[in-house]
Amino acid sequence: MLTITAINAFNDNYIWVLRQDSQQAVYVVDPGDANVVLDYLRTQQLSLAGILITHHHRDHTGGIAALAAHVKQTTGNDLAVYGPQSEDIQGINQPIEPTLSDTLTLPFIDAPVRILSVPGHTAGHIAYLVDDALFCGDTLFSAGCGRLFEGTPRQMWQSLSQLAALPDETRVYCAHEYTLSNLKFAQTVDTDNEALNAYVEQASTLRAQGKATIPSTIGLERAINPFLRPLSPTIVDSIKIQFCDQDLTKADELTCFTLLRQWKDIFK
C-alpha cells in the first residue's frame, strides 16, 4: 500500500511524501522548503530515496540543494532528483522528457509512475500519476487551476482536459491549499450548482477544523470546478454578463475557458 502524507510549507504549500508499505525510504514531491522535510524525516525515522519535481517555481524547488547535500553527507550517495528536462532547474539529475507512454520505475515504489505533460502554468510542467494518485503541482487545483505564467490558454485547456479524462476515483494531490478562495470564484460563476454548494460546506468545515481539503478527486472536480466545465449554461451566462462586449453565440470550450481564466486573474 502506498501511503501519502502532507508536509505543510510556507503559507499554503503541500509537500507530498510517498511511502510504500513499511519502507523506510520515501520520496517527496516539490520540496520548496528543505527544513520541514528534514524535520519530518527525523521525526518519522525515514530516509529520502528521491525527489519528484513538477515545475521550476522556487516554492517547489527551493529545497533540492539542501536535501541532496543532506543525503550525500549522511549516505555518501547522490540523491535521485526527477523533473522536467525542458525547464531550468538546478539539481535535477534524472531529467524527464515526457512522451505519450513515458513511465518511471522508482526503487521502493511498487507501481509504475506515469508521466503526464501538462504545460500551461509553466512551459514544461509535468505531473506524476502513481496508481490512482495524481501529483499535478500547480496545474489543477480543487475548484480551480493555475495561472498562465508561461503557457497559452490552449495549452492549459488541453492539460486540464487530459487530467479530467482520468478515472473519477483518481485522487488529486495538488501543491496548494487554495480551495476556499477557488470556491468563492466558482460560486460566483456557477450559481446554481448543488454539488458545488455542498462542497463549499464540506471544505469550509474541514478548514475550520484545521484540516486539508486535499486530496480532491477527478470525479468531484468534474462536478464543481468551473475550469473543467466552461460550457455549462450557467457559467456561459455568467461569462456573458462579465464580458458584455464578447460575442459568445458560438462559444467553444477554449474561448470560455480563456475568459474564465482572465476573470479569475482579476477576481477579488
Side-chain angles (χ1 to χ4, degrees):
M1 184 179 68
L2 184 67
T3 301
I4 301 168
T5 305
I7 302 175
N8 294 303
F10 310 121
N11 292 327
D12 50 39
N13 281 67
Y14 290 129
I15 300 170
W16 298 108
V17 182
L18 283 64
R19 182 183 185 185
Q20 185 73 54
D21 302 320
S22 58
Q23 294 278 0
Q24 295 304 107
V26 301
Y27 289 80
V28 294
V29 182
D30 287 348
D33 182 350
N35 291 329
V36 294
V37 175
L38 292 172
D39 287 345
Y40 179 85
L41 296 174
R42 281 191 289 265
T43 300
Q44 302 297 318
Q45 297 184 315
L46 300 171
S47 61
L48 187 59
I51 294 173
L52 306 178
I53 298 293
T54 62
H55 66 289
H56 67 81
H57 287 160
R58 184 69 178 172
D59 62 320
H60 295 250
T61 65
I64 294 175
L67 292 173
H70 168 78
V71 170
K72 187 71 171 180
Q73 182 179 17
T74 55
T75 70
N77 298 323
D78 291 330
L79 179 65
V81 183
Y82 300 83
Q85 180 175 326
S86 62
E87 299 201 345
D88 184 15
I89 304 173
Q90 294 297 312
I92 286 180
N93 53 24
Q94 302 291 328
I96 297 169
E97 186 60 46
T99 64
L100 291 177
S101 60
D102 200 12
T103 59
L104 297 176
T105 300
L106 298 179
F108 310 108
I109 300 292
D110 289 348
V113 180
R114 182 180 166 194
I115 307 300
L116 305 176
S117 176
V118 287
H121 181 67
T122 65
H125 201 303
I126 62 175
Y128 301 86
L129 183 63
V130 189
D131 279 339
D132 67 348
L134 173 69
F135 302 92
C136 53
D138 288 357
T139 298
L140 174 65
F141 297 123
S142 187
C145 71
R147 286 180 178 267
L148 305 181
F149 286 115
E150 298 169 9
T152 66
R154 181 178 296 277
Q155 285 178 315
M156 181 61 97
W157 173 244
Q158 291 172 342
S159 295
L160 292 174
S161 298
Q162 178 185 188
L163 299 184
L166 295 171
D168 280 357
E169 63 272 16
T170 304
R171 294 170 290 163
V172 178
Y173 290 91
C174 57
H176 291 274
E177 182 60 68
Y178 287 164
T179 305
L180 292 186
S181 62
N182 286 338
L183 287 171
K184 183 180 177 182
F185 177 73
Q187 283 191 302
T188 299
V189 302
D190 198 3
T191 55
D192 59 359
N193 186 330
E194 293 183 4
L196 172 60
N197 294 334
Y199 184 50
V200 170
E201 291 188 17
Q202 177 187 344
S204 298
T205 299
L206 287 171
R207 295 308 293 154
Q209 296 172 348
K211 297 178 181 179
T213 64
I214 309 302
S216 176
T217 67
I218 290 295
L220 174 62
E221 294 309 313
R222 282 204 202 100
I224 61 93
N225 192 324
F227 294 101
L228 300 187
R229 46 201 308 274
L231 281 186
S232 167
T234 301
I235 294 175
V236 173
D237 287 344
S238 296
I239 295 172
K240 288 178 180 177
I241 294 170
Q242 175 69 14
F243 297 92
C244 55
D245 60 337
Q246 294 283 336
D247 181 7
L248 298 178
T249 306
K250 298 181 180 180
D252 57 15
E253 290 174 319
L254 177 58
T255 298
C256 289
F257 168 78
T258 301
L259 293 172
L260 273 180
R261 187 59 258 182
Q262 291 175 7
W263 188 357
K264 181 63 163 62
D265 287 343
I266 62 172
F267 183 78
K268 295 181 180 179

